[in-house]
C-alpha cells in the first residue's frame, strides 16, 4: 500500500510539472524560429529578398546596375553568402543591411565596378526551408537561370542597356552549380571564376573521398563525440533542431575535413541540414553528368586554388579544369578553402583582372 | 524559472526515493540482490557507463522490481555525461519468456563549441525475451522523450553565427525510438557479460543523423 501511494505521488508530480511546463512563459519552444537560429525571409520581413515567379530567396544586390553583372554562388549545399560579404578581422556582416558597419566587406568590394548579386540558394542560409525530397540540382540550376534572366531584364528596363550575359563567381559547391548552369545554358555566361569548385564528376568525387578524412576514423575524437552526444539533447526532427545540430559540424570543419584547411571562424547565418538528403552535390551518385556540353561554352574558366588545399589534393585542379575548353589556374598562398573570407582583397583583385 | 527547477529536482528526488525503497530479482536468479556493471559502446557517442542495480519486493502484483542508477560519460570529454535512474519490472512471465519493462528518467549535460546544454528526459523500454538464470536474449523497443533543456550559447556561436540566439530553458527537443536486440550470459557464477545492438530513429521515425546504430558491451558483477 505504501508503495502504491508513492507511485501515485509520482504520477501527480509528473502531471503537475507537465501543467507548469505547459504554462511557463519562461520556457521557450525549441522549434520556434528565431530562438536558436536566425529567422528566414519567410518569417522576418526585415531581411532583403528577391521574389521571382513565386520563388522567394534571401538576396541583395550591391553596386550600379549599369555595370557588368556578377552573380555570386556560395558553397554548401545549404550554406549562405555571409562569408562573401564579410572578411576576416572585421565585424561579420549583419543580416540586416542597415545595421552593417561595413557595406563593402569581403569580395562585395567588387561593387565599385560591377553590379553584384548575392543570394542564398534554396533551403540554405536565410532563404526558405524545404522538406527533404523537394529539392534537386535541376531546380537549383533553374533558379540560377531565372535570377540571371531577372537581372538582365531589370538592367534593360532601368538603363536601356541590353546585355545577354553575366559573370559568375562560384565558391565550392557554387562551382558545381555554376558548371551545371553553364552545361545547360552555355550562352548565358561570359566568364567564370571559381574558388575550389566542388567535384564536377564522379571521378573527381572518388579522388576527393580517397584523399580526405573518413568520419569513421574520427570516432572517439572530441569534435565528433560532441556532435553525436548532442543527439541525446535534441533530435533532428524539424528544421530548427536539425540545422542547429548541423551547425556543430560547420563550426568544426577544420577538424572534420582537415584537408580543406577551412578557418572555423568563417561566419554563416545558417546551414540547411535536411537538404543534404537530396544529394544536391552528387556525393552519393554512382554517375552524373554536368559537363558533357561544356565544349559549347565560349567563355573562360579560372580555377583559384588555395596553397593548403592544393598541397593536400595536388591533382584536384587539373581534374576539374579538364572539363572546360578554356581554363586557367591561380594559386593563393597561405590559405585554405575559406580563402574568399580570409583574403578577400587578393581574390577580388584576381576576379577584377580576369573579368577585364 | 525557479518553479521549474524546484519541480525537476523534487521529481528526481522522489523518483529516486521510490526506486530505492522498493525490492526484487535480476535475471531470474533468486539468490542475487545486487549488481554493479560497467558498460561501454556507442550510444549516442563513445560512452563509458557505471551502474548499480538492486532488487526490490514491491509488495503487490506478486512481482519484483530492479531499481537502478547509472552514470555515463563520453570517453572524449568527461564533462559530457548522463545520469539515469529507473526501475525494471517483468510485466508478463510464462516460464522463461518474459516481457520486461524498464522505466527511467535521466539528466544529461554537455558542453560543445557552439553551446552548453543540460537535458532532462524520460524513457520506457520494453523487452520481449527468454530470461534464464545464466543467460538471456531479448528484442527491445524503447522510446525516450526529452522534455526539458537548458541551452546556453557560447560567445563563439553568437559572434560567428547568430548574435540574437536565446539562452534559457527549452521544451520540445523531441524523442527517440530505438529497436534492438540484447543478450548476455553468466560466467563463473556471478559475472555477467552482455551486449546490446539498437537502431535509433527520431520519434517521427526519421533518420537520427548521428551514429546509424548503437552498440554496447557490458560486464557486471552480481552479489
Amino acid at each position: 500500500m505504501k508503495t502504491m501511494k508513492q507511485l501515485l505521488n509520482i504520477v501527480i508530480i509528473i502531471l503537475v510539472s507537465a501543467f507548469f511546463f505547459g504554462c511557463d512563459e519562461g520556457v521557450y519552444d525549441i522549434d520556434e524560429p528565431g530562438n536558436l537560429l536566425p529567422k528566414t525571409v519567410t518569417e522576418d520581413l526585415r531581411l532583403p529578398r528577391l521574389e521571382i515567379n513565386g520563388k522567394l530567396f534571401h538576396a541583395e544586390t550591391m553596386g550600379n546596375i549599369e555595370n557588368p553583372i556578377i552573380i555570386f554562388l556560395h558553397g554548401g549545399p545549404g550554406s549562405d553568402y555571409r562569408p562573401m560579404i564579410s572578411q576576416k578581422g572585421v565585424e561579420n556582416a549583419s543580416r540586416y543591411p542597415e545595421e552593417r558597419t561595413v557595406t563593402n566587406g569581403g569580395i562585395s568590394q567588387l561593387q565599385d565596378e560591377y553590379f553584384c548579386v548575392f543570394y542564398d540558394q534554396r533551403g540554405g542560409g536565410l532563404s526558405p526551408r524545404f522538406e527533404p525530397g523537394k529539392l534537386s540540382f535541376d531546380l537549383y540550376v533553374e533558379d540560377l537561370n531565372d535570377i540571371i534572366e531577372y537581372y538582365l531584364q531589370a538592367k534593360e528596363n532601368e538603363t536601356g542597356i541590353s546585355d545577354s550575359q553575366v559573370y559568375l563567381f562560384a565558391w565550392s559547391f557554387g562551382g558545381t552549380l555554376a558548371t551545371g548552369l553553364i552545361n545547360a545554358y552555355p550562352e548565358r555566361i561570359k566568364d567564370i571564376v571559381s574558388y575550389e569548385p566542388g567535384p564536377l564528376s564522379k571521378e573527381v568525387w572518388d579522388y576527393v573521398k580517397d584523399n580526405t578524412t573518413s568520419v569513421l576514423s574520427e570516432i572517439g575524437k572530441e569534435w565528433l563525440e560532441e556532435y553525436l552526444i548532442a543527439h541525446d539533447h535534441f533530435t533532428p526532427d524539424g528544421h530548427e533542431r536539425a540545422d542547429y545540430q548541423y551547425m556543430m559540424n560547420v563550426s568544426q570543419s577544420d577538424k572534420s575535413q582537415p584537408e580543406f584547411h577551412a578557418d572555423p571562424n568563417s561566419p554563416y547565418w545558417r546551414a540547411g541540414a535536411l537538404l543534404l538528403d537530396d544529394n544536391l552535390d552528387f556525393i552519393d551518385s554512382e554517375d552524373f553528368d554536368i559537363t558533357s556540353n561544356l565544349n559549347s561554352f565560349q567563355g573562360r574558366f579560372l580555377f583559384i586554388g588555395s596553397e593548403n588545399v592544393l598541397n593536400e589534393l595536388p591533382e584536384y585542379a587539373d581534374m576539374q579544369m579538364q572539363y572546360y575548353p578554356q581554363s586557367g589556374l591561380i594559386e593563393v598562398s597561405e590559405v585554405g578553402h575559406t580563402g574568399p573570407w580570409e583574403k578577400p582583397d587578393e581574390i577580388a583583385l584576381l576576379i577584377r583582372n580576369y573579368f577585364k | 524559472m525557479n518553479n521549474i527547477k524546484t519541480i525537476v529536482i523534487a521529481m528526481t528526488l522522489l523518483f529516486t526515493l521510490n526506486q530505492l525503497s522498493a525490492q526484487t530479482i535480476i535475471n531470474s536468479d533468486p539468490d542475487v540482490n545486487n549488481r554493479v556493471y560497467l558498460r561501454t559502446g556507442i550510444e549516442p557517442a563513445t560512452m563509458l557507463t557505471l551502474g548499480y542495480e538492486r532488487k526490490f519486493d514491491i509488495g503487490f502484483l506478486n512481482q519484483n522490481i530492479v531499481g537502478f542508477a547509472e552514470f555515463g560519460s563520453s570517453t572524449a570529454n568527461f564533462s559530457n555525461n548522463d545520469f539515469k535512474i529507473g526501475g525494471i519490472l517483468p510485466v508478463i512471465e510464462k516460464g522463461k519468456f518474459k516481457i520486461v519493462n524498464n522505466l527511467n528518467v535521466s539528466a544529461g549535460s554537455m558542453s560543445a563549441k557552439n553551446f552548453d546544454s543540460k537535458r532532462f528526459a524520460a524513457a520506457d523500454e520494453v523487452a520481449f525475451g527468454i530470461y534464464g538464470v545464466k543467460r538471456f536474449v531479448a528484442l527491445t523497443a524503447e522510446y525516450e522523450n526529452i522534455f526539458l533543456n537548458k541551452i546556453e550559447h557560447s560567445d563563439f556561436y553568437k559572434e560567428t553565427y547568430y548574435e540574437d540566439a536565446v539562452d534559457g530553458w527549452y521544451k520540445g527537443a523531441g524523442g527517440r525510438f530505438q529497436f534492438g536486440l540484447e543478450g548476455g550470459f553468466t560466467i563463473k557464477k556471478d559475472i555477467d557479460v552482455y551486449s546490446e545492438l539498437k537502431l535509433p530513429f527520431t520519434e517521427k521515425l526519421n533518420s537520427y543523423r548521428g551514429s546509424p546504430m548503437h552498440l554496447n558491451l557490458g560486464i557486471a558483477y552480481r552479489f
Side-chain angles (χ1 to χ4, degrees), chain B residues 191-211:
Chain B
I191 306 288
D192 296 334
V193 179
Y194 65 98
S195 67
E196 308 165 325
L197 178 68
K198 306 175 189 174
L199 300 178
F201 301 90
T202 70
E203 65 185 355
K204 293 181 180 173
L205 297 180
N206 291 321
S207 165
Y208 197 53
R209 296 178 183 270
S211 174

Side-chain angles (χ1 to χ4, degrees), chain A residues 255-291:
Chain A
K255 298 185 176 71
S256 60
Q257 296 177 314
E259 293 81 6
F260 290 96
H261 298 272
D263 188 322
N265 297 306
S266 176
Y268 298 94
W269 286 303
R270 176 184 72 91
L274 299 184
L275 59 76
L276 297 176
D277 291 356
D278 289 339
N279 191 33
L280 298 168
D281 57 0
F282 303 110
I283 188 171
D284 295 322
S285 297
E286 281 306 306
D287 199 11
F288 64 97
D289 172 27
I290 56 171
T291 57

Side-chain angles (χ1 to χ4, degrees), chain A residues 1-7 9-10 13-14 16-17 20-24 26-31 33-39 82 92 94-96 99 132 219-222 224-238 241-242 244-245 247-252 254-255 264-270 273-277, chain B residues 1 3-4 7-8 10-11 14-15 17-19 21-22 42-47 57-60 73-77 80-82 108-115 117-119 144 146-149 151-153 156-157 159-176 202-211:
Chain A
M1 253 351 258
K2 185 184 170 190
T3 310
M4 184 68 92
K5 281 182 184 172
Q6 288 172 328
L7 286 171
N9 283 342
I10 292 172
I13 289 276
I14 289 172
V16 169
S17 33
F20 275 103
F21 292 149
C23 293
D24 196 325
V27 180
Y28 302 102
D29 182 345
I30 205 165
D31 290 329
N35 284 338
L36 303 178
L37 293 156
K39 295 175 180 175
R82 192 181 192 189
N92 297 322
S94 167
R95 62 193 185 282
Y96 302 120
E99 291 185 3
I219 292 174
K221 301 277 180 66
E222 193 169 345
L224 182 57
E225 296 293 304
E226 286 175 2
Y227 174 71
L228 292 175
I229 209 165
H231 291 73
D232 253 3
H233 285 247
F234 40 88
T235 64
D237 269 336
R241 281 177 270 150
Y244 190 60
Q245 263 182 2
M247 292 301 285
M248 297 178 73
N249 266 346
V250 174
S251 69
Q252 301 275 20
D254 56 328
K255 298 185 176 71
N265 297 306
S266 176
Y268 298 94
W269 286 303
R270 176 184 72 91
L274 299 184
L275 59 76
L276 297 176
D277 291 356
Chain B
M1 220 62 270
N3 281 348
I4 291 170
I7 289 167
V8 169
M11 200 169 80
L14 198 75
F15 215 100
L17 293 174
N18 270 282
Q19 299 305 331
S21 63
I42 298 179
E43 186 184 0
T46 311
M47 305 290 286
D57 177 1
I58 56 175
F60 68 101
S73 166
S74 163
T75 56
N77 184 346
N80 294 339
N81 52 53
D82 194 73
S109 175
M110 70 166 292
S111 181
K113 185 175 182 179
N114 291 359
F115 60 86
S117 171
K118 292 179 174 47
R119 64 112 196 183
E144 181 178 61
I146 306 157
F147 59 84
L148 190 66
N149 291 70
I151 295 175
E152 292 181 339
H153 297 89
F156 168 82
Y157 186 81
E159 288 165 9
T160 311
Y161 303 131
Y162 185 34
E163 64 272 29
D164 298 324
V166 179
D167 297 338
W169 291 90
Y170 281 92
K171 62 182 178 182
R176 174 183 71 186
T202 70
E203 65 185 355
K204 293 181 180 173
L205 297 180
N206 291 321
S207 165
Y208 197 53
R209 296 178 183 270
S211 174

